[in-house]
Amino acid sequence: MISTHNQTQSDAIGDAKAPSAFKLRTLIDADYEQTHAAMLSHTLKRIEQKRQGIITPDELWIVEHKDVYTLGQAGKEEHILQRGDTPIIHTDRGGQVTWHGKGQLVIYWLIDLNNAGWSVRDLVSHAEQSIEDVLNTVLSRQPAATEFYAKARKDAPGVYIYNKDELMLGKIASLGFKIKHGFSYHGIALNLTCDLGAFNAINPCGYAGMQMLRLADFVALNSIDTSPYHGFEVLPDAITELEVTKLLLTNIIQRDMGAISLRSATP
């Protein structure tokens, strides 16, 4: 299922003000190979249009995939511990092996890095910090607000949950990008309500014994109605109906606009 909405200056998500014609696309129960082919084709078209002097709007693709394991460009088969009915697909993003499926929010960042004024390192930092911002906002609402917090790690891309004693409990979000001629595609994956058992068949992101986490085990995930999205389609029984999805989209769009600056690098 695909739905595309153009966001204008007066029609942005939440309190964010999206650039003119900034596009959001929703794909639920999405086939990975079809989605990847569409994303690559779109990026190649943008590259060609820019060569012709045509500047195209950035896009965010909000995706909930059918169950799939994907191996990045440097992915090693040895990190697949068990093989079953779930497809295993080699892809062109960075990183090792991961899982996508129902209950996991995937956001693909189709960004013109040069137009945004971002380096590749900036892109990765914006991705990690957007997840940190939203998770810490949601975690701070809990009665024991200081018990858990989200933080990226310099030595291992992604976002992790820590407790008040600064003990890392596990990984809750992964990221992997591909850059072609200054345009990014692929993006981030945040575990919301998914069955974490799917990760038992792999070394997640190439780390043996890495504990994977989901947000539903830390906070109550609130649903929203359609009005906060200003026309963006909210589909029932999917990650689009969760407030955390709206918060993350808002944060990313503000970053693309330059309204949220990068913090100092993670120590």
Side-chain angles (χ1 to χ4, degrees):
M1 183 179 300
I2 300 177
S3 176
T4 304
H5 300 276
N6 295 343
Q7 299 294 111
T8 67
Q9 291 287 353
S10 60
D11 186 25
I13 297 177
D15 296 327
K17 291 194 177 297
S20 177
F22 194 105
K23 293 184 177 180
L24 305 176
R25 183 174 297 187
T26 304
L27 301 93
I28 301 300
D29 196 31
D31 177 85
Y32 183 85
E33 290 183 297
Q34 292 178 6
T35 304
H36 176 264
M39 183 167 53
L40 175 57
S41 175
H42 176 78
T43 300
L44 293 175
K45 183 178 179 181
R46 293 188 75 192
I47 292 169
E48 182 57 34
Q49 288 175 317
K50 190 166 186 179
R51 286 173 178 157
Q52 298 171 13
I54 302 169
I55 302 301
T56 52
D58 289 337
E59 297 193 9
L60 298 177
W61 290 17
I62 303 95
V63 184
E64 192 171 41
H65 278 296
K66 295 177 180 178
D67 279 9
V68 65
Y69 293 109
T70 66
L71 274 164
Q73 282 187 309
K76 298 178 180 178
E77 296 276 349
E78 65 197 56
H79 292 304
I80 301 172
L81 308 178
Q82 303 171 25
R83 294 176 183 268
D85 296 331
T86 302
I88 300 169
I89 296 173
H90 289 263
T91 190
D92 59 349
R93 62 162 171 79
Q96 287 284 336
V97 63
T98 194
W99 169 87
H100 300 308
K102 186 171 178 58
Q104 183 190 72
L105 171 62
V106 172
I107 301 181
Y108 292 131
W109 296 41
L110 280 66
I111 306 293
D112 180 340
L113 298 184
N114 293 327
N115 196 46
W118 294 357
S119 66
V120 176
R121 179 65 250 180
D122 290 340
L123 172 68
V124 172
S125 295
H126 274 298
E128 290 177 331
Q129 291 181 17
S130 66
I131 299 168
E132 288 177 339
D133 288 351
V134 170
L135 293 187
N136 287 325
T137 294
V138 174
L139 289 168
S140 69
R141 298 174 182 169
Q142 302 308 299
T146 60
E147 189 167 352
F148 302 106
Y149 65 95
K151 183 181 177 182
R153 290 171 50 179
K154 189 174 183 180
D155 61 327
V159 177
Y160 303 78
I161 298 294
Y162 290 77
N163 67 13
K164 60 184 178 182
D165 297 320
E166 299 187 4
L167 175 67
M168 194 270 285
L169 304 181
K171 188 173 189 176
I172 197 167
S174 304
L175 61 150
F177 290 97
K178 176 69 175 180
I179 312 299
K180 280 187 179 293
H181 300 283
F183 287 82
S184 69
Y185 59 107
H186 292 287
I188 63 177
L190 172 61
N191 299 328
L192 297 180
T193 63
C194 49
D195 180 355
L196 296 175
F199 290 102
N200 294 335
I202 60 174
N203 290 327
C205 304
Y207 291 92
M210 174 62 72
Q211 179 65 48
M212 299 301 289
L213 306 175
R214 63 178 189 173
L215 191 56
D217 292 327
F218 293 87
V219 299
L221 295 179
N222 299 324
S223 296
I224 58 172
D225 58 24
T226 58
S227 57
Y229 275 74
H230 296 276
F232 178 72
E233 187 175 10
V234 176
L235 303 173
D237 193 31
I239 42 83
T240 55
E241 70 175 356
L242 298 176
E243 180 201 26
V244 67
T245 300
K246 172 207 166 185
L247 293 174
L248 189 50
L249 291 172
T250 300
N251 190 287
I252 297 168
I253 290 174
Q254 288 178 327
R255 289 173 180 276
D256 188 72
M257 292 171 58
I260 298 179
S261 300
L262 285 175
R263 299 186 289 276
S264 299
T266 300

